Amino acid sequence: MSGPGRVALVGAGPGDPGLLTVRGLALIRAADVIVHDRLVNPALLDEAPAAERIDVGKQPGAHTVSQAEINAILIAQARRGRLVVRLKGGDPFVFGRGGEEALALRAAGVPVEVVPGVSSALAGPAAAGIPVTHRRLAASFAVVTGQEDETRTRPSVDWAALATAVDTLVVLMGSRALPEIARTLIAHGRGAETPVALIHDATTPRQVTLETTLAALVHPATAPALPAPMIAVIGEVVSLRASLGLGDLVSTAAKLVMPSTGTQVRFGA
C-alpha cells in the first residue's frame, strides 16, 4: 500500500458473522493487516485471506498483550503505510476499549475511522427472545460492565443507584461478580424475585440461555453457572421470553451472505 496508513476500528458484532455491517466487511476485504480480538468469528478473517493477521486476544484474567502494546502495534502498522483493521467483538465503543485506542491513534497523528458494530448487549437478549424494552414493563435500560477496573480506587459502577434507576439491566463481563451484584441490587430495593436470564455465546450455534432470579444468584448453591462470554439480563422483560415462545433465535450462518463478486457497491472514503 502506498501513501499514509490508517486504522479502522471495526465492530465485528456479537458472534454471528451475518451481523457484520456492510462497511465493516468492505474494510476487512481491503485490509493489509487485521489486528483482532479472541472472540472474533474466524469466518470474518477468512474474508481477507491475503491480509496479515495479528492476534491480540485477551483471555479472562490473562492479558498476554497489554493495551499499551496493542496501541503501539496499531500505530506502527499504520506508519508503514498500511490499512489496518482493528477488529473488535461487538461495538468498538461499548466496553471494547475502542475509545482508548482512538485517542492513542489521534495523539500519534494516525488517521482513524470508527465503524460501529452490533453490540452483544442488544443482540444477546434479542437472540434469547428477550426485548430489553416493552411499553408495559420497561421504559428504560442500562448496559453495565460487571468487571471492575483494577486501577481505580473507587468502584466503577454504582450498583446501589442502578438498583431502581432503570427497568432493565444488561450486565456484560459479570460472571464472577454476579452474586455480589445480585446481593447489592436486592439490598437497595430491587425485588429478590426479579427474573434474570444468563446467555452464553450469544448469536452462535453454542448459545445457551438459563433463567433464574436475583435471589437464586446470591447463593452459589442455587445459582446456575455459565462460562464466559456471558450476558446477564435483569428485569421483568425476561418473563416475556416464555410468553413470546421465541426461545433461542440462534443463527447458524457459517458464511457471510454478501457476494464478493457481481454488482459493485460504492462505499464512502
Side-chain angles (χ1 to χ4, degrees):
M1 178 177 177
S2 60
R6 59 193 177 100
V7 175
L9 305 179
V10 176
D16 178 357
L19 297 178
L20 181 71
T21 64
V22 172
R23 178 60 175 164
L25 178 59
L27 286 165
I28 289 171
R29 288 175 172 169
D32 297 301
V33 57
I34 298 178
V35 181
H36 62 91
D37 284 345
R38 177 176 63 92
L39 296 178
V40 166
N41 194 306
L44 301 184
L45 301 178
D46 291 343
E47 292 295 316
E52 179 184 351
R53 301 178 185 180
I54 302 176
D55 184 353
V56 295
K58 300 174 181 178
Q59 296 282 349
H63 296 176
T64 55
V65 184
S66 71
Q67 189 60 54
E69 289 171 320
I70 294 173
N71 296 346
I73 290 169
L74 297 176
I75 293 167
Q77 291 290 334
R79 284 177 173 169
R80 293 176 58 188
R82 311 180 86 182
L83 170 55
V84 183
V85 168
R86 173 68 172 108
L87 196 56
K88 307 172 75 67
D91 182 280
F93 279 4
V94 180
F95 301 124
R97 304 191 76 166
E100 297 173 46
E101 292 173 1
L103 286 170
L105 290 164
R106 291 303 297 266
V110 174
V112 60
E113 174 183 355
V114 180
V115 180
V118 178
S119 173
S120 62
L122 298 179
I130 301 168
V132 295
T133 64
H134 183 276
R135 187 171 61 174
R136 179 171 55 87
L137 296 177
S140 60
F141 72 95
V143 180
V144 193
T145 177
Q147 185 171 295
E148 290 287 348
D149 183 347
E150 295 177 356
T151 65
R152 296 186 56 160
T153 57
R154 300 179 62 184
S156 303
V157 179
D158 188 344
W159 293 104
L162 279 174
T164 56
V166 294
D167 298 311
T168 305
L169 286 170
V170 180
V171 183
L172 306 181
M173 302 175 290
S175 52
R176 295 181 181 179
L178 274 180
E180 184 58 32
I181 290 171
R183 189 177 297 110
T184 303
L185 293 176
I186 293 170
H188 290 85
R190 197 79 168 199
E193 297 307 309
T194 299
V196 178
L198 307 179
I199 309 162
H200 167 69
D201 256 355
T203 78
T204 77
R206 300 175 300 280
Q207 178 172 314
V208 176
T209 304
L210 299 178
E211 294 184 44
T212 184
T213 64
L214 276 181
L217 287 180
V218 171
H219 304 289
T222 58
L226 284 175
M230 190 268 290
I231 302 161
V233 185
I234 302 169
E236 295 303 324
V237 290
V238 172
S239 64
L240 295 175
R241 185 169 182 260
S243 301
L244 290 171
L246 296 176
D248 284 325
L249 309 179
V250 179
S251 169
T252 57
K255 294 183 180 293
L256 295 171
V257 295
M258 176 176 287
S260 56
T261 58
T263 305
Q264 300 226 347
V265 181
R266 183 179 180 83
F267 297 97

